[in-house]
Structures are given as structure tokens and as C-alpha cells.
Amino acid sequence: EKGGYDYFMLKEIAEQPKAVADTLLGRIDPSGSLTLDEVRISPSELREIDKVVIVACGTAFHAGLIAKYAIEHWTRIPCEVELASEFRYRDPILDGRSLVIAISQSGETMDTLMALRHAREQGSKVLAICNTNGSTIPRESDAVLYTHAGPEVAVASTKAFLTQLVACYLVALYLGQVRGTKWGDEIQAVIKDLSRISEEVERVLETMEPVRALARTLAGKDTVLFLGRHVGYPVALEGALKLKELAYMHAEGFAAGELKHGPIALIEEDVPVVVVVPSPRGRSVLHDKIVSNIQEIRARGARTIVIAEEGDEAVVPYADHLIRIPATPTLLQPLVATVPLQVFACELATARGNEVDQPRNLAKSVTVE
Ligand code: M6R
């Protein structure tokens, strides 16, 4: 049932182009507008929304962090993202005009479930983004947008994450469409790019051999750091989480802008630092800032592993290892930038002799607090 792969995780990584395509299927019509019939929250209710709050745990939380950038940019609705376990024990300010989005692969995560119950008690509408048909979280929500990743067996979430991102983009674009905000050329172009993105994910998968080879050389390291900006920051967090859970290594993700506020003290000779570089097109200021971050850490001896768009030549002089990803619009980059990090963590785990599909101490779904 592993389809010829050694691990479910490898199979699931390879299934990502299909998972992404399946999650888009039937949701973008040929004219480029979105049909999300399952979202049974009426357009008039969606027009009343004045705040979006996303709750989730682990990898699903990282998808939520990325969704915030998309939702605020495309809809101009304020969006907060919170760990479900924190949200439920605060006194979050919600009302009937807040839309709460609960993201969960399994649909059974206890903290996310309790967070959504809490939100519904305050009169908020809850939209679930979930991969498991008929599970508890979608059953208790007002509406659900299913991700079509298919069953995810490996404890480390991969294809579910990519499809959660796709679902978040669809929700953001749909909110934009319903509310008429910024609905114009940019959005139409993004929808077009999104509908082709599974081919880009496929292209990334075809070029992963050097990433595997690099991972094997790092098996003896104690620490790997990850840096990103903008949507690259949650990607860095996700890369670090994957490495912790699979390779049992110390790994941390940082916002690159925070370097000087502390983390740069961790940089010493030969520490591997993975840097996720935003597109030099689009918001070029983000790109330039991160290039100078790479210079700074390299000058202090870091071994830089740079994930950058094809054609981005500015990073070349500072990259000890360069991992190329296809050019995408800035907000969609996580769909391609995360893939090498999954492969990297999986290979490092293998090189360290760890059990890839069932890492120690972890369960696939956390149904206790
Ligand atoms: O089923 P869920 O999406 O609610 O699970 C949330 C987290 O437990 C999950 O993403 C976890 O962090 C994964 N093991 C990460 O790979």
C-alpha cells in the first residue's frame, strides 16, 4: 500500500501535485470565478464579516499563518491566527460578524474542536477546512471546505498541508469575490496561476535529488535554523517543525527581520541555515532585505542553504547550497517552497536511522489536550 515507496511520507510527498489539483477541481470555473457551493455561509453573511480568526495546531497552524497574508491582502478583512490551544483559554473577542476558520487534517484535534465550540458559543460562524469526511470538526462547524488530499498516513503532515494552503487561498479569493474587494486583474492572474500550480509542484519534485544528497551530509549536525520573511516565515516554521518531528534535531524557524533581535547570536561556524527567499519580482524590497540577511549570516560562518526562485541571480554569491523553485506569485510561493523542506527532513530522518512514518512520541491525531 506504500505504492513502491519505502515510507508513506515519501508516497504522500509524491502525491502532492495530484492532491493540489484535486483540491482545486470543480472550484474554479472556466471564466475564472470561484464556486464554493459547500461553503453554506451566504454571500450576504460573508459581506458582513468584519474579522477572520483562524485556529489550528501544528502544521495546520502554519497554513493559517500563510492564509493571513492572503486574506488581508486580497480582502482587506483583518485576520488573526492563533494556536487553538491558546485561543480557547483566552477570552477572545468574537461576535456574529467574526468568521472563524478551523483548519485540521484529521478533523479530530481536541484543541481545535474546543476552539471552534468556543467560537460558536460567541455566535461566530465557523468554517472548517478539513481532510477527513464526516469527522467531528466539520460536523460541528457551520460549513466545511474539504481538502482532497486523500488519506494521509504518515504522522508528519505533507500533502494535507499543501491542500490546506490551497483551501485557504480559495477561501480568501472567494471572500474577495463575494465582497468585490480588489477583484481585478491581480486576482484573475492569481487564480490562473493557482490553477496551474500543481504542475509547478511536480517540477519541484523532479529536482529533489540534490536536496537529498545535501540532507545526508548534515546527518551529524545538532542544529538547523530556518529563516523567512512574509509568507516565507511560516514556511521556515514548517521546515523546522518537520525536522524536529522527523530527525529529532534542534531546529528553529525565525522571521529574518528578527535576526538582529537575538537569533543571530546562534550563528557560528558551519551552522546550517535554510533561507526561504521571496520572489525578486513583486515585493522586491522583501527580496533585497533577505539577501542582506543571507550576507550577514554567511559573514558569521553560517552554511547557507538558499531556496530561491529560478532566475534569481542576486542570491548566488551567498548561497553555499542553492535550491531552485519555480517562479510563482509571492503569496503562492509556500506551495513550492515547502516541498524541498519536506524532502530534506525526510531524508535527514532516514540518514539518522529514525522511523519516518511513526516518529517517537507522536500520534497522527491529537485527540487529547
Ligand atoms: O489533524 P490536524 O491537522 O488537526 O493536526 C494538527 C497537528 O497535530 C499536526 O499538523 C501535526 O503538527 C503534524 N504532525 C505535523 O507534521
Side-chain angles (χ1 to χ4, degrees):
E1 11 157 75
K2 289 179 195 153
Y5 292 92
D6 289 344
Y7 309 108
F8 279 105
M9 185 180 177
L10 286 173
K11 174 172 178 267
E12 289 161 6
I13 288 174
E15 284 169 347
Q16 292 184 113
K18 181 173 186 314
V20 164
D22 288 350
T23 301
L24 289 164
L25 199 70
R27 288 168 171 169
I28 300 177
D29 68 29
S31 72
S33 63
L34 303 177
T35 333
L36 298 185
D37 290 335
E38 313 122 278
V39 177
R40 291 170 321 208
I41 303 175
S42 70
S44 64
E45 280 172 299
L46 291 177
R47 277 191 284 272
E48 293 301 304
I49 299 297
D50 64 4
K51 175 162 92 169
V52 175
V53 180
I54 302 179
V55 290
C57 303
T59 288
F61 171 69
H62 297 154
L65 290 175
I66 293 165
K68 174 185 167 79
Y69 292 86
I71 290 173
E72 293 192 339
H73 182 70
W74 291 331
T75 72
R76 309 305 300 147
I77 309 170
C79 176
E80 295 166 17
V81 192
E82 193 162 352
L83 292 165
S85 54
E86 288 297 318
F87 175 89
R88 55 180 293 216
Y89 291 112
R90 281 198 301 124
D91 232 345
I93 299 166
L94 297 171
D95 58 29
R97 297 185 65 185
S98 321
L99 173 67
V100 173
I101 302 178
I103 309 176
S104 174
Q105 187 286 130
S106 62
E108 302 295 347
T109 299
M110 183 56 75
D111 281 314
T112 310
L113 177 62
M114 298 309 265
L116 90 81
R117 285 186 183 158
H118 183 75
R120 293 196 75 197
E121 278 160 21
Q122 318 298 307
S124 304
K125 291 275 185 211
V126 177
L127 169 67
I129 291 178
C130 184
N131 195 46
T132 312
N133 256 301
S135 55
T136 312
I137 287 172
R139 272 195 282 117
E140 294 205 15
S141 298
D142 295 282
V144 52
L145 187 65
Y146 279 110
T147 48
H148 296 160
E152 192 181 65
V153 177
V155 165
S157 188
T158 54
K159 61 177 182 171
F161 176 69
L162 258 60
T163 60
Q164 284 160 356
L165 290 177
V166 168
C168 289
Y169 294 133
L170 288 172
V171 169
L173 292 165
Y174 185 67
L175 281 171
Q177 175 176 297
V178 165
R179 298 163 63 99
T181 20
K182 278 215 167 180
W183 199 258
D185 293 350
E186 181 194 335
I187 305 276
Q188 292 297 336
V190 167
I191 290 178
K192 225 184 217 156
D193 287 318
L194 191 57
S195 55
R196 283 195 295 249
I197 202 87
S198 74
E199 293 155 37
E200 308 294 356
V201 176
E202 183 74 62
R203 283 180 53 213
V204 177
L205 288 171
E206 285 160 8
T207 59
M208 287 297 95
E209 204 35 58
V211 175
R212 286 190 199 100
L214 168 64
R216 289 191 289 270
T217 68
L218 300 176
K221 293 280 177 194
D222 300 320
T223 294
V224 180
L225 305 177
F226 295 77
L227 291 180
R229 261 179 198 270
H230 194 260
V231 290
Y233 168 44
V235 171
L237 296 176
E238 175 60 9
L241 177 61
K242 284 285 145 318
L243 205 60
K244 282 175 214 166
E245 71 181 327
L246 292 160
Y248 318 150
M249 289 165 86
H250 171 240
E252 254 186 278
F254 299 106
E258 278 290 287
L259 262 181
K260 290 193 184 62
H261 302 283
I264 200 162
L266 291 170
I267 306 293
E268 53 185 15
E269 206 53 40
D270 221 30
V271 174
V273 185
V274 178
V275 189
V276 184
V277 180
S279 166
R281 303 160 301 115
R283 308 271 293 278
S284 60
V285 58
L286 288 174
H287 174 266
D288 299 350
K289 294 234 178 249
I290 215 154
V291 173
S292 64
N293 293 141
I294 304 173
Q295 277 174 268
E296 281 159 358
I297 56 171
R298 197 156 184 268
R300 289 165 179 78
R303 165 125 60 121
T304 57
I305 302 166
V306 176
I307 301 182
E309 198 172 284
E310 282 157 4
D312 179 351
E313 296 307 318
V315 296
V316 175
Y318 315 111
D320 294 313
H321 307 274
L322 186 54
I323 301 170
R324 288 296 190 188
I325 51 174
T328 57
T330 305
L331 284 165
L332 303 187
Q333 197 200 50
L335 287 170
V336 291
T338 307
V339 176
L341 302 182
Q342 300 166 340
V343 171
F344 181 72
C346 184
E347 191 67 29
L348 257 164
T350 313
R352 287 164 70 96
N354 297 352
E355 174 51 63
V356 170
D357 288 333
Q358 281 290 336
R360 67 185 182 200
N361 308 337
L362 292 173
K364 181 63 180 163
S365 66
V366 183
T367 52
V368 291
E369 289 186 43

